[in-house]
Amino acid sequence: MALTSKGVRALHDGDVDHLVLADGRRFTRDDLTTYVQALRIKTDDAGVPLDRGWQVVARCLRGPDGAPDLAELAEIREAAEAIKAAERRRDQLIRRYAANWTPDAVAHQASLSTQRIHQIRTTQPAEQESSP
């Protein structure tokens, strides 16, 4: 079976017992389960990936080296989460201290536009925390 979204779905559904990656390795249903979880693919209530999820997994598996190392993805995710945390902290500080400084001075220090400083100042922290 080909490394397409249909092929990945067939593996999930049990229509095939494995897929063969570009490097010749076998990719099983257990491997697929691990990838779906590691990639944080959105699923329905039964845990079945949504249509776009099949495409994402298939693209990952079609790489020249077959299935990429999940530790690499975890490292990228950790960096992205650190960026989000830093942005939340920056926004908290802007709200706390912006009244003491001109928007231009705060914007310069934060490497943001003055307009963005105004948006941050008027956005409630709870809204910021809940955004993905």
Side-chain angles (χ1 to χ4, degrees), residues 31-132:
D31 296 328
L32 176 60
T33 300
T34 301
Y35 258 73
V36 167
Q37 292 170 351
L39 292 170
R40 296 185 177 180
I41 300 294
K42 293 185 186 215
T43 62
D44 63 17
D45 292 337
V48 177
L50 303 177
D51 288 339
R52 174 123 170 77
W54 301 117
Q55 296 169 357
V56 171
V57 173
R59 283 190 206 120
C60 288
L61 298 179
R62 284 196 301 261
D65 297 326
D69 183 356
L70 292 175
E72 294 170 352
L73 295 176
E75 190 174 359
I76 293 168
R77 184 172 46 249
E78 287 172 13
E81 289 169 356
I83 290 169
K84 287 179 186 178
E87 287 175 343
R88 282 191 301 270
R89 172 131 170 82
R90 177 205 62 203
D91 292 355
Q92 290 169 347
L93 293 171
I94 288 170
R95 285 187 202 93
R96 183 180 307 157
Y97 301 128
N100 300 334
W101 298 94
T102 66
D104 288 334
V106 175
H108 179 73
Q109 294 304 309
S111 297
L112 296 172
S113 69
T114 304
Q115 180 182 6
R116 182 68 183 123
I117 297 303
H118 287 294
Q119 289 171 342
I120 292 169
R121 287 173 63 183
T122 59
T123 303
Q124 297 299 315
E127 291 174 39
Q128 290 288 98
E129 300 295 328
S130 66
S131 58

Side-chain angles (χ1 to χ4, degrees), residues 9-42:
R9 180 71 192 251
L11 177 63
H12 176 272
D13 293 345
D15 297 337
V16 297
D17 67 342
H18 71 278
L19 299 173
V20 178
L21 302 176
D23 62 3
R25 286 181 294 149
R26 291 168 51 107
F27 188 83
T28 66
R29 189 169 196 276
D30 288 341
D31 296 328
L32 176 60
T33 300
T34 301
Y35 258 73
V36 167
Q37 292 170 351
L39 292 170
R40 296 185 177 180
I41 300 294
K42 293 185 186 215

